[in-house]
Amino acid sequence: MVNARVGYEWDNFSVYALGTNLLDAEYVASADTGYGIQTLGDPRQLTLRVEAQF
């Protein structure tokens, strides 16, 4: 799985672009071997984050 974070900071502000599971891989996040139940992990997610400190 590939995750990334790129951003820029200045004065009291910052902007970040974040991505998780960038290759959109399917994977098992958890499994119950007794019942054969599997839970798949999250798909690709992209986020833009803006922060200000006062």
Side-chain angles (χ1 to χ4, degrees), residues 35-52:
Y35 295 102
I37 298 172
Q38 296 179 342
T39 302
L40 294 179
D42 292 330
R44 177 186 307 130
Q45 295 181 350
L46 302 174
T47 304
L48 180 65
R49 182 174 180 165
V50 178
E51 297 178 355

Side-chain angles (χ1 to χ4, degrees), residues 1-2 9 16 23 38 51:
M1 185 175 355
V2 177
E9 298 176 349
Y16 299 101
L23 301 178
Q38 296 179 342
E51 297 178 355

Side-chain angles (χ1 to χ4, degrees), residues 1-6 17-23 27 42-45:
M1 185 175 355
V2 177
N3 300 324
R5 174 178 144 169
V6 174
L18 303 111
T20 57
N21 194 7
L22 291 176
L23 301 178
Y27 63 97
D42 292 330
R44 177 186 307 130
Q45 295 181 350

